[in-house]
Amino acid sequence: SASENCYRLVAQCLNYEIGNHSYSHPHFLDIDIKQAREEIEKTDSLIERIHREAEIPRTKKLFRFPYNDKGEKNRKDFLKLLDELGYEIQNYTLDTKDWMFYLKQGGRTEEQILANCRKAGDGEVVLVHDRRFTAEKIIPFYANSEEYQFTLPD
């Protein structure tokens, strides 16, 4: 699929970690442990396949909950599952709000989003999404800046 080709390209060209963010991006507050396992394992198998095909070893297993929703009522079970599957939680510290560029009401302009990007400091984990605006504006903003550098999480 196109998304698998994209991830393979990322793995080959940038040599960065590909994190698990679930398969269908559910609110974990609305799912049970069985559904959570399916979401995580389905994506995990895709990531494993991509690493195998790209011939790049997978060195970390990172997970971030969709919507930053950690499923409060089942949180302990979700965290136990992630630990069992060998995952570390990777939260973000700066939301670029790039997703708001596409909202019809209450959205953000390019200038507002880039102003938010400029707030990133040392060690920030910056949240971006796989959207055209991000690829055309945000990634070049960081990549072409002398102030920022991409690093892997510890």
Side-chain angles (χ1 to χ4, degrees):
S1 78
S3 63
E4 288 177 25
N5 288 336
C6 177
Y7 286 124
R8 189 174 305 113
L9 180 64
V10 168
Q12 288 175 325
C13 295
L14 299 178
N15 210 13
Y16 284 109
E17 301 294 339
I18 300 173
N20 190 327
H21 190 50
S22 76
Y23 190 79
S24 67
H25 208 259
H27 282 277
F28 271 61
L29 186 62
D30 298 333
I31 65 174
D32 61 24
I33 192 70
K34 181 177 182 268
Q35 292 167 298
R37 179 179 289 278
E38 289 170 5
E39 288 284 331
I40 295 164
E41 288 182 340
K42 191 170 185 178
T43 302
D44 188 72
S45 67
L46 289 172
I47 295 170
E48 287 291 339
R49 184 173 139 210
I50 290 163
H51 276 273
R52 193 172 48 254
E53 289 180 14
E55 298 179 349
I56 295 173
R58 188 173 183 190
T59 58
K60 283 191 176 207
K61 293 176 79 170
L62 302 172
F63 183 84
R64 186 175 68 76
F65 288 94
Y67 311 102
N68 209 26
D69 166 14
K70 297 169 183 71
E72 295 309 320
K73 65 183 177 186
N74 294 318
R75 182 178 169 88
K76 284 184 182 177
D77 291 334
F78 293 154
L79 294 176
K80 184 178 174 185
L81 171 64
L82 288 165
D83 185 59
E84 171 192 321
L85 296 174
Y87 276 94
E88 298 173 41
I89 303 295
Q90 179 65 64
N91 293 314
Y92 58 88
T93 57
L94 177 75
D95 183 353
T96 63
K97 309 277 188 203
D98 59 338
W99 55 274
M100 294 182 85
F101 184 77
Y102 296 95
L103 296 179
K104 297 205 184 308
Q105 291 184 328
R108 299 273 170 96
T109 66
E110 176 181 332
E111 293 78 26
Q112 290 172 313
I113 293 168
L114 290 175
N116 200 35
C117 292
R118 287 184 195 92
K119 295 177 184 175
D122 286 345
E124 296 269 18
V125 176
V126 178
L127 176 65
V128 295
H129 296 82
D130 56 347
R131 303 294 297 264
R132 184 178 192 145
F133 175 79
T134 302
E136 291 178 352
K137 301 294 181 178
I138 296 177
I139 300 303
F141 167 79
Y142 286 120
N144 297 328
S145 170
E146 293 183 16
E147 293 179 52
Y148 301 101
Q149 120 183 26
F150 292 107
T151 60
L152 293 174
D154 292 331

